[in-house]
Amino acid sequence: MPTPFVLRPFRPARWLPGAHAQTIAGRFLRGPAGVTYRRERLELPDGDFVDLDHATVRGAPAPAPGAPVALVVHGLEGGSGSSYVLESCRALAEVGIRAVALNFRSCSGEPNRLARFYHAGDTGDLAFALAHVAAAHPGVPLVAVGFSLGGNVLLKYLGERGEAVPLRAAVAVSVPFDLTAGAGQLDGTRTGRFYVRFFVRKLRRKFMGKRAMLAGYGDVERALRARTFREFDDAVTARLHGFRSAEHYWESSSSAAFLAGIRIPTLILHAVDDPFLPPSAIPRDAVRANPWLHAGFTAHGGHVGFVAGPPWAPEFWAEAEAARFLSERLRGAGMPHAAVEGRMTDGRDNETDER
């Protein structure tokens, strides 16, 4: 059996104290430099489309013939231009893995065609994209990285399909494992409500752009008044995608319930202080119980933050560790490992699993 993966310590940048500083700074410190995309439109069986963006990274080593390919999956209202997706493309290129960024429906800068969007439990488009990439690169190892909502979709997909996936390994970063708990956490604090307003404004704007098409499906007036995820998901997301309510959508789509079914090496990176999820909702027991899962739970890091290093040369630990994990698994992977929570530090030598 291969040696378990050992995470490098995460030492949060001292000049970014606290979860919110990590979360907000992480969004802006990751820049776009060096990454260019070639877009591929992928027509879906239902008549809609998603866009795949194939990355080229300036200054990175040229990929070898038959180099592995990674599908990178963005979070809520993100896309291939999201800073963490770009940083992931750079980190993957450094270890010789080609990156393809999946844009969910309506997230590539162009409205999708049908009276629907994407959501946290919709694994069909991800499955179709992975099958397409696998067919386009026969015999080439395929891996995946998902962030936030995209990480939730990825873990749910892996748990639903078990061994029947085209992937060799995967990484999920800052996942909202329990959507109900996450919504409650965000609604319960002033800063949490700031994050919610940011996302709900974008969702309302997208809904308004397709108001005529969606009028017969969602509750237009409630959607326009929505100020929380619960209000928007109850008025729009649930109605568009066949759920009875926001609660039914969240319960059906939360990835925590699917972790037991995962059958490929999968690294889960998550900060205990993530403001988008209470610590009690981190599925530690489920991760420990599945030998295919590698736990990377840090005390600090915020939500898709994980910023280390000095201000003039920040380092992005999650993307670097994700790329290193995938590279190592591709070199000698394929067998389950005991769930290892390697020692990590925030300057006080905390274990990954805080006690």
Side-chain angles (χ1 to χ4, degrees):
M1 183 173 291
T3 304
F5 181 72
V6 179
L7 284 159
R8 293 170 179 165
F10 171 57
R11 297 183 175 86
R14 293 185 178 182
W15 49 281
L16 291 175
H20 301 301
Q22 281 276 330
T23 300
I24 294 169
R27 172 181 172 84
F28 295 104
L29 290 173
R30 295 167 166 92
V35 180
T36 56
Y37 287 128
R38 174 181 61 83
R39 175 152 291 183
E40 177 186 10
R41 173 130 315 167
L42 187 55
E43 296 290 337
L44 300 172
D46 63 2
D48 215 336
F49 71 91
V50 293
D51 286 327
L52 300 178
D53 285 333
H54 299 254
T56 298
V57 179
R58 186 176 65 246
V69 176
L71 192 72
V72 184
V73 190
H74 65 82
L76 181 63
E77 287 304 280
S80 61
S82 294
S83 59
Y84 51 84
V85 174
L86 295 164
E87 184 61 33
S88 190
C89 292
R90 287 189 286 266
L92 290 164
E94 287 298 320
V95 297
I97 300 176
R98 295 173 285 178
V100 180
L102 168 64
N103 298 276
F104 287 127
R105 302 188 196 212
S106 78
C107 292
S108 60
E110 181 178 338
N112 62 308
R113 301 181 188 127
L114 301 184
R116 57 156 300 170
F117 291 120
Y118 66 102
H119 63 79
D122 183 2
T123 59
D125 291 352
L126 173 62
F128 193 83
L130 285 170
H132 171 81
V133 174
H137 300 278
V140 170
L142 183 61
V143 295
V145 184
F147 293 87
S148 195
L149 177 144
N152 189 83
V153 174
L154 177 59
L155 292 179
K156 182 172 179 283
Y157 161 80
L158 294 175
E160 288 172 341
R161 302 192 178 219
E163 296 177 356
V165 298
L167 295 168
R168 299 279 188 90
V171 181
V173 181
S174 296
V175 175
F177 305 100
D178 183 329
L179 298 170
T180 302
Q185 169 89 350
L186 289 166
D187 287 343
T189 66
R190 180 177 299 177
T191 309
R193 291 189 290 273
F194 166 80
Y195 295 131
V196 171
R197 285 195 297 271
F198 170 79
F199 285 113
V200 171
R201 276 198 299 267
K202 296 184 74 171
L203 291 166
R204 285 203 313 263
R205 192 179 308 124
K206 185 172 287 185
F207 178 83
M208 284 299 296
K210 299 181 70 173
R211 180 174 180 174
M213 177 185 293
L214 300 177
Y217 298 90
D219 188 327
V220 174
E221 294 307 317
R222 287 181 63 206
L224 297 180
R225 294 196 306 269
R227 295 295 182 270
T228 67
F229 284 138
R230 182 180 300 275
E231 291 170 351
F232 186 85
D233 286 343
D234 207 50
V236 178
T237 311
R239 290 175 177 242
L240 286 181
H241 302 107
F243 300 100
R244 296 189 300 272
S245 63
E247 287 79 6
H248 181 221
Y249 158 50
W250 295 341
E251 181 180 349
S252 302
S253 302
S254 295
S255 61
F258 297 86
L259 296 179
I262 295 175
R263 291 296 181 272
I264 64 167
T266 301
L267 175 64
I268 299 176
L269 300 177
H270 191 88
V272 175
D273 69 356
D274 188 325
F276 286 35
L277 190 77
S280 60
I282 300 172
R284 298 175 185 275
D285 291 342
V287 172
R288 290 192 188 100
N290 186 340
W292 293 96
L293 302 181
H294 301 253
F297 300 145
T298 65
H300 303 289
H303 187 76
V304 196
F306 300 108
V307 183
W312 55 89
E315 300 168 3
F316 306 107
W317 177 85
E319 290 90 341
E321 287 302 279
R324 192 170 69 86
F325 173 82
L326 294 173
S327 178
E328 288 196 13
R329 296 308 93 180
L330 287 168
R331 286 201 302 269
M335 297 179 66
H337 306 266
V340 173
E341 299 189 5
R343 292 186 63 81
M344 305 164 65
T345 176
D346 64 352
R348 298 177 298 172
D349 199 28
N350 287 329
E351 288 188 346
T352 302
D353 184 3
E354 279 198 335
R355 292 174 171 85

